[in-house]
Amino acid sequence: MNISSIHSGTIREGKPVAISAKGGPILIVPYMWIGDFVRCHSVVKLLRVRWPDRPVDMLTTTLCAPLLDYMPDLRRGIAWNLPRGRLPMGEYRALAARLRAERYGTALIMPRTWKSALAPFLAGIPERVGFVGEARFFLLNDLRWGERKLPRMIDRCAALALPKGTPLPAEWPLPDLAVPDAEVTAWRSRQALPTDASPIVALAPGAVGPGKRWPTERYAEVAKALAQDGAAIWILGGPQEKPLAAEIVRHAGERAHDLTGSDLRNAILALKAADIAVSNDSGLMHIAAASGTPTIGIFGPTDPRLWAPLNPLAAVVEPPAAAPCPVCGKMKCGNVRHRRTSDIPASRVIDIIRRQIDVLPR
């Protein structure tokens, strides 16, 4: 078990909207998937506008912890790796003691699981806000209904930061990962990466679940074509993407670099340094978009209108409409889950990247 306080960030002042009678710092208990974790920066920014005098902290795993160093308006993270699939009460009590020491006044508990609300309850946090789920009525004291009527994850998460019954705004604050240029430069030096003026194309071929992955051979086609154009190709992902990266490097040659690994910070810095990022519907897509890097998002069995980053993408690439549907055989199938990323040709993505490179500053 890893226990640490991570990052003391800046606190920006905002226009107050309402002040909680309970006061004290606010704790966000987010989903621990990388993309959803990035989305939660919108919630941080919203809370800082509502309560400019109340610091905002976030519970995190060690995997997601590096993201906190680049989230303005967040005070700190509490890193704690709780096991899945079992309920070790000793660890939950220890986490509760850690939270109690911070004297939080409010906890926003985004996952619907019983276990996610347990430590804030044991810590005695006065105001515990969350959607109804998994018979946790006594663990929360500000219960919200209607989560399933909110199709987008950002709406579900950010709604908890508003007073009960408040209509949702048309737009939420955008996530913003502020990555210092000096840190990027130092990282590139440590990695011994070329520093010439070649465009950098970052590829993120991994995703949770094979259905969301554009085939590796398509990424290899993209890498080979762009390397022949003179671009540098950086392949990003976790240790599980090592075999994918090896295949891409084999096709693209010496201009391709395998930067996969277990430290998410490397991917954050690489995506900030890149001129263009190409990603499946994955956490790295959200990091790239929130860093301000032009990002091409590849979507198959997920709907970008629901799952794309709030930050604008340079392009959304979806499979062409097929009749009959390759899965169910219907001539007019509207089920997005039946779409296949393999139906997206590499030439389509290569053309988009080349157009983006043409508009890069010289």
Side-chain angles (χ1 to χ4, degrees), residues 61-80:
T61 60
T62 51
L63 170 64
C64 293
L67 287 164
L68 302 181
D69 287 334
Y70 309 107
M71 289 184 173
D73 298 325
L74 190 71
R75 182 179 69 167
R76 69 168 61 93
I78 306 295
W80 204 289

Side-chain angles (χ1 to χ4, degrees), residues 47 59 89 92 113 168 183 289 308 328:
L47 291 170
L59 191 66
M89 285 301 298
Y92 277 88
T113 63
L168 303 188
E183 190 171 341
C328 68

Side-chain angles (χ1 to χ4, degrees), residues 186-250:
W187 170 82
R188 289 189 66 173
S189 178
R190 292 194 303 272
Q191 297 289 327
L193 292 166
T195 56
D196 57 29
S198 301
I200 299 168
V201 180
L203 305 180
V208 176
K212 294 166 66 174
R213 291 180 183 170
W214 199 37
T216 309
E217 56 266 28
R218 301 283 201 281
Y219 275 103
E221 288 183 62
V222 170
K224 183 176 180 179
L226 273 295
Q228 290 174 346
D229 290 349
I233 310 298
W234 294 356
I235 303 104
L236 308 177
Q240 65 274 18
E241 274 79 62
K242 280 285 181 187
L244 311 183
E247 182 177 344
I248 295 169
V249 170
R250 182 170 61 84

Side-chain angles (χ1 to χ4, degrees), residues 123-316:
I125 297 175
E127 185 177 45
R128 303 180 302 279
V129 186
F131 284 105
V132 174
E134 284 199 356
R136 56 185 189 168
F137 293 95
F138 73 96
L139 298 178
L140 304 174
N141 55 16
D142 185 346
L143 286 162
R144 306 292 177 90
W145 299 84
E147 181 186 25
R148 298 189 186 280
K149 295 180 181 179
L150 303 175
R152 296 193 307 166
M153 182 62 73
I154 181 58
D155 295 329
R156 297 179 180 186
C157 293
L160 298 180
L162 300 176
K164 185 181 295 186
T166 302
L168 303 188
E171 297 181 354
W172 298 107
L174 298 181
D176 174 24
L177 297 181
V179 184
D181 291 338
E183 190 171 341
V184 173
T185 300
W187 170 82
R188 289 189 66 173
S189 178
R190 292 194 303 272
Q191 297 289 327
L193 292 166
T195 56
D196 57 29
S198 301
I200 299 168
V201 180
L203 305 180
V208 176
K212 294 166 66 174
R213 291 180 183 170
W214 199 37
T216 309
E217 56 266 28
R218 301 283 201 281
Y219 275 103
E221 288 183 62
V222 170
K224 183 176 180 179
L226 273 295
Q228 290 174 346
D229 290 349
I233 310 298
W234 294 356
I235 303 104
L236 308 177
Q240 65 274 18
E241 274 79 62
K242 280 285 181 187
L244 311 183
E247 182 177 344
I248 295 169
V249 170
R250 182 170 61 84
H251 281 79
E254 62 182 11
R255 297 196 67 81
H257 303 272
D258 176 5
L259 300 179
T260 59
S262 57
D263 188 351
L264 183 61
R265 190 179 307 275
N266 288 326
I268 297 169
L269 295 170
L271 289 168
K272 178 62 177 180
D275 294 298
I276 298 167
V278 183
S279 177
N280 300 325
D281 179 11
S282 70
L284 295 189
M285 176 184 63
H286 288 263
I287 291 174
S291 299
T293 298
T295 305
I296 299 168
I298 297 176
F299 288 84
T302 52
D303 188 342
R305 285 155 285 279
L306 301 180
W307 297 104
L310 282 183
N311 309 82
L313 294 175
V316 171

